[in-house]
Amino acid sequence: MPPILPGATIGVLGSGQLGRMFAIAARRLGYRVHTYSPDQDSPTGQVADHEVAAPYDDLAAVAAFAREVAAVTFEFENVPSRTVEALGNSTVVRPSGHVLHVTQHRVREKQFLVSAGIPVAPFAVVLDTNDLIDGVSRLGLPAILKTASFGYDGKGQVRIARPADAAAAWAAIGSQPAVLEQVVDFLCEVSVVVARGADGAMVDYGAIENSHRRHILDVSVWPARVAADTAAKAVALARTACEALDVVGVLCVEMFVTRDGDVIVNELAPRPHNSGHLTIDAHVTCQFEQQLRAVCGLPLGTTAARAPAAAMANLLGDEWSRGEPDWAAALALPGVKLHLYGKVEARPGRKMGHLTVTADDPDGAEALVQEARRRLARL
């Protein structure tokens, strides 16, 4: 099909911060943006041309939304399959329903990765307590029990340290289908963001190093401080996954780096990713513009860097515990960029925004972004 050119309207299913940053990138290139979610005055809706507030299972509203746009993309993957089918009857959907079907369910995702020859941590499919007991016996402990669906930022996950903890863990996740994963003794966590166009062309940003706090991404540093051959392995695995899944759009592959330099894939996200937010300020073409270009059938942009290194620090609602953060103190540091998401209520653990910096090396970038975040606290 011919490319969808500037001036057209692109639909976004979901209305959080990822949709917001996508809409900003799309409007900069001259596109209009419509967003669809159950929420009003959402982060995406605040910057979109039109905001539709309706349930995802309202198929008539979904179909009407699809008829008003030239293509639809997603800012999160937990979309009902019937909704995706309704969209596909009226417009172009990228990434495809198949991609969402695989990545929104951990069992299907693990089975896909194994079939593609991509290394994952040893795991067991858990449908009942017998499966859980068998899995604990086979994999050993400690292990992590994860719900098959609707898990993110550590939600729907329970660590099992002793056999006696298994029953409580099963109850804690609601006794629903799950995956039991062997705990990986890893050196660090990395992610690779890959963009793939309708013509199969791919670009990536290399390996990004991630650290978490309370199961939520805390700081990302680019480039990852790992051996060159380890970073190359991570990129190769991410590109393999993107091509095997036939993604048209953006795919983030989250991985563990083991102490001997091997790379094991943890999860896939078929959309821009929190760890890729630093590309907005650190690269010529950010992950959100790549998503737009891929969805519209345009050539992908260069991922050339604007600086030798960069870092991002998430801003959670906890930063507001002493009142409004001291934005001026953080922004007084050279090179610090502030991105807020337009969320009215600052709750503990809720992603409210992020800071990014560029620097001459990864250590300097991490130190600078940490200092900027420390300055936000009104002591």
Side-chain angles (χ1 to χ4, degrees):
M1 60 174 288
I4 301 168
L5 300 176
T9 301
I10 307 301
V12 179
L13 216 62
S15 60
Q17 61 266 21
L18 298 179
R20 180 188 184 93
M21 289 178 272
F22 172 83
I24 291 170
R27 295 190 70 173
R28 188 171 62 245
L29 269 69
Y31 290 86
R32 295 181 178 274
V33 176
H34 291 185
T35 182
Y36 184 108
S37 82
D39 303 316
Q40 290 183 321
D41 191 30
S42 64
T44 308
Q46 291 167 8
V47 299
D49 295 274
H50 182 56
E51 180 178 43
V52 177
Y56 292 120
D57 58 2
D58 185 341
L59 300 186
V62 168
F65 175 79
R67 288 192 293 270
E68 297 297 319
V69 300
V72 171
T73 192
F74 304 86
E75 70 124 33
F76 78 125
E77 54 268 36
N78 290 319
V79 179
S81 59
R82 293 179 63 201
T83 300
V84 179
E85 291 172 7
L87 290 168
N89 290 333
S90 302
T91 191
V92 177
V93 179
R94 289 174 173 163
S96 68
H98 167 70
V99 173
L100 296 178
H101 178 73
V102 170
T103 57
Q104 68 185 196
H105 194 274
R106 284 194 172 99
V107 174
R108 291 194 292 266
E109 183 174 279
K110 295 287 187 188
Q111 291 170 341
F112 157 75
L113 290 168
V114 170
S115 69
I118 295 172
V120 299
F123 71 96
V125 177
V126 177
L127 302 179
D128 55 34
T129 53
N130 290 331
D131 288 339
L132 180 56
I133 293 168
D134 291 343
V136 167
S137 175
R138 179 164 61 85
L139 299 178
L141 295 176
I144 306 292
L145 185 64
K146 300 180 179 181
T147 57
S149 303
F150 301 105
Y152 64 96
D153 288 344
K155 296 177 174 65
Q157 301 185 22
V158 181
R159 184 183 180 94
I160 302 176
R162 303 171 303 159
D165 298 335
W170 179 241
I173 67 165
S175 304
Q176 60 179 299
V179 171
L180 183 71
E181 295 180 7
Q182 189 178 85
V183 170
V184 176
D185 181 24
F186 61 87
L187 179 66
C188 67
E189 296 180 64
V190 300
S191 58
V192 176
V193 176
V194 181
R196 183 171 181 268
D199 60 355
M202 286 189 286
V203 297
D204 66 78
Y205 297 91
I208 301 168
E209 182 181 344
N210 302 314
S211 58
H212 293 75
R213 183 170 56 179
R214 292 179 297 174
H215 302 290
I216 301 172
L217 182 63
D218 186 45
V219 173
S220 293
V221 178
W222 174 87
R225 291 163 291 190
V226 297
D229 61 337
T230 300
K233 288 179 191 176
V235 169
L237 288 175
R239 283 175 166 255
T240 296
C242 194
E243 188 167 26
L245 199 51
D246 195 21
V247 172
V248 177
V250 169
L251 178 74
C252 178
V253 183
E254 300 175 69
M255 295 169 255
F256 300 121
V257 175
T258 66
R259 298 188 184 280
D260 58 5
D262 285 336
V263 181
I264 296 173
V265 171
N266 180 28
E267 292 184 344
L268 307 178
R271 50 170 171 76
H273 189 261
N274 196 169
S275 63
H277 292 352
L278 57 80
T279 64
I280 297 173
D281 298 308
H283 295 81
V284 173
T285 312
C286 72
Q287 62 172 349
F288 298 99
E289 183 177 332
Q290 301 286 23
Q291 182 186 20
L292 173 74
R293 286 171 175 245
V295 168
C296 293
L298 296 173
L300 299 176
T302 176
T303 57
R306 299 180 184 273
M312 180 218 67
N314 268 332
L315 301 177
L316 304 184
D318 311 64
E319 302 289 344
W320 278 253
S321 61
R322 294 188 178 92
E324 189 72 13
D326 191 347
W327 305 119
L331 292 172
L333 290 169
V336 173
K337 298 286 190 176
L338 172 65
H339 300 259
L340 291 176
Y341 304 152
K343 297 178 181 179
V344 176
E345 183 183 3
R347 300 192 299 267
R350 190 185 196 192
K351 293 176 182 176
M352 301 294 293
H354 67 267
L355 296 168
T356 59
V357 303
T358 53
D360 292 332
D361 60 78
D363 290 345
E366 182 179 33
L368 179 58
V369 83
Q370 293 277 25
E371 173 60 22
R373 189 166 60 181
R374 279 193 292 271
R375 290 190 175 199
L376 295 176
R378 294 182 180 274
L379 302 178

